[in-house]
Amino acid sequence: MVATDPHDVVGDPRDGTDQAAIARVYDRHAAVEYERLDRSLRHRAEFVLSAELLDEYVAPGAEVLDVGAGPGRYAEHLLGRGCRVGLTDLSANSLRLFEERIEPDLADGVLFCRQGSATDLGWLASESFDVVLLMGPLYHLVSRVERHAALREAWRVLRPDGVVVTAYISAYKNMVEAVADGDGDEVERLRAGGPTTHLGMQQYRTWPRLATEELAEAGFEVLRTRNLEGLASLLDLDTLEAHDDEAFFAMLRKTCELPDLLGATLHFACVARRLADA
């Protein structure tokens, strides 16, 4: 059963992010979010390239905290590899959907499903997980203070040399749209990333260089950065569907970590190691 603590959900409105509004949107769209990663070749690429990073850096049997787990697509993947996973998310409906869907043979590996915020994990003991996933919160928390709080909470609950996997929405698409609209002020604003809105909730768009700076500031050493759709983000969905999945994923693997293309995507991810003295 999903455990709920309202203090964890609403947060302090002075933080900058309306976390209650984000919870409401994902409560309404929990099933859509689960299905999103199957919607098109581009969406499937996001899942495949993310799951490959997890397979490389998360050992079978590891204890994993999935913060912002949503309906649990990545938690389910890791449970299938023998990991033990605790899930927390702002959206109670997303967590209920996970609990209703998870196969009984995987359910024994679920440590907990608890509604809560990435910026406050005080209910968890320090140094209690091998891996923390932040594959959603950092592209909703609009203030640097909030993102730092989420990263420092991840740092705190990780064991020494533990790994955090973070996902972001790139500012690239917004930059292209601003150039197309001739909006010089928006182009200037997006050079440093910044907030946008989607479905009535706040999102934060950024660049790989800025993401790695924030990780370093929070006490992490970045090991890998890769974009999750790459050049697929430049193509319309009908064009993409003409491609064979595996052949297309093979092309993306060859380009998704080219330094010059890291931000030319919709989403990108970083893998970082917890430094001992931070």
Side-chain angles (χ1 to χ4, degrees), residues 106-118:
L106 299 181
D108 287 345
V110 178
L111 299 172
F112 52 80
C113 279
R114 173 165 171 156
Q115 190 180 21
S117 170

Side-chain angles (χ1 to χ4, degrees), residues 9-270:
V9 178
V10 178
D12 188 333
R14 293 173 299 176
D15 288 342
T17 303
D18 186 346
Q19 296 191 37
I22 293 170
R24 288 193 295 270
V25 171
Y26 281 108
D27 276 345
R28 289 196 302 270
H29 297 282
V32 173
E33 177 62 18
Y34 179 77
E35 296 163 359
R36 182 181 67 85
L37 294 172
D38 292 321
R39 190 179 303 159
S40 71
L41 185 56
R42 179 191 297 161
H43 293 90
R44 294 194 295 277
E46 179 189 343
F47 179 81
V48 167
L49 294 179
S50 297
E52 288 177 354
L53 278 182
L54 299 182
D55 291 348
E56 185 169 347
Y57 286 95
V58 183
E63 292 187 304
V64 181
L65 174 64
D66 191 353
V67 183
R73 287 293 297 265
Y74 293 110
E76 185 176 14
H77 176 76
L78 292 172
L79 288 165
R81 298 185 65 244
C83 296
R84 302 178 67 214
V85 184
L87 295 81
T88 184
D89 196 273
L90 292 171
S91 167
N93 283 351
S94 294
L95 295 173
R96 289 192 186 98
L97 181 63
F98 167 80
E99 291 183 318
E100 291 167 1
R101 191 193 66 254
I102 196 68
E103 295 293 335
D105 61 326
L106 299 181
D108 287 345
V110 178
L111 299 172
F112 52 80
C113 279
R114 173 165 171 156
Q115 190 180 21
S117 170
T119 57
D120 182 5
L121 301 175
W123 46 279
L124 290 170
S126 298
E127 299 188 358
S128 52
F129 291 92
D130 302 302
V131 178
V132 172
L133 308 186
L134 284 169
M135 300 183 73
L138 298 178
Y139 58 71
H140 284 296
L141 297 171
V142 297
S143 76
R144 188 178 182 91
V145 169
E146 291 172 298
R147 294 190 300 278
H148 185 76
L151 288 170
R152 286 301 294 179
E153 281 289 77
W155 188 95
R156 181 183 63 81
V157 302
L158 277 171
R159 296 182 175 119
D161 293 323
V163 166
V164 64
V165 182
T166 57
Y168 305 85
I169 299 179
S170 174
Y172 178 82
K173 184 174 184 290
N174 296 77
M175 181 75 84
V176 170
E177 292 171 350
V179 170
D181 293 340
D183 189 343
D185 291 340
E186 182 70 352
V187 168
E188 184 62 27
R189 185 182 76 86
L190 288 170
R191 289 178 60 190
T196 62
T197 58
H198 178 64
L199 296 176
M201 62 181 169
Q202 294 158 299
Q203 288 189 337
Y204 180 74
R205 310 290 174 106
T206 191
W207 302 98
R209 174 182 58 82
L210 300 175
T212 57
E213 288 175 0
E214 289 191 352
L215 281 160
E217 180 182 310
F220 292 96
E221 175 191 9
V222 177
L223 305 175
R224 293 276 289 283
T225 303
R226 65 165 31 179
N227 65 47
L228 299 177
E229 303 94 355
L231 300 179
S233 64
L234 305 177
L235 304 174
D236 66 80
L237 297 182
D238 289 340
T239 299
L240 290 174
E241 291 305 322
H243 289 271
D244 171 76
D245 284 28
E246 289 307 316
F248 193 72
F249 296 155
M251 287 189 288
L252 292 185
R253 290 185 190 101
K254 293 178 180 178
T255 59
C256 67
E257 296 188 36
L258 291 176
D260 292 334
L261 292 179
L262 288 176
T265 189
L266 295 173
H267 300 82
F268 63 91
C270 297

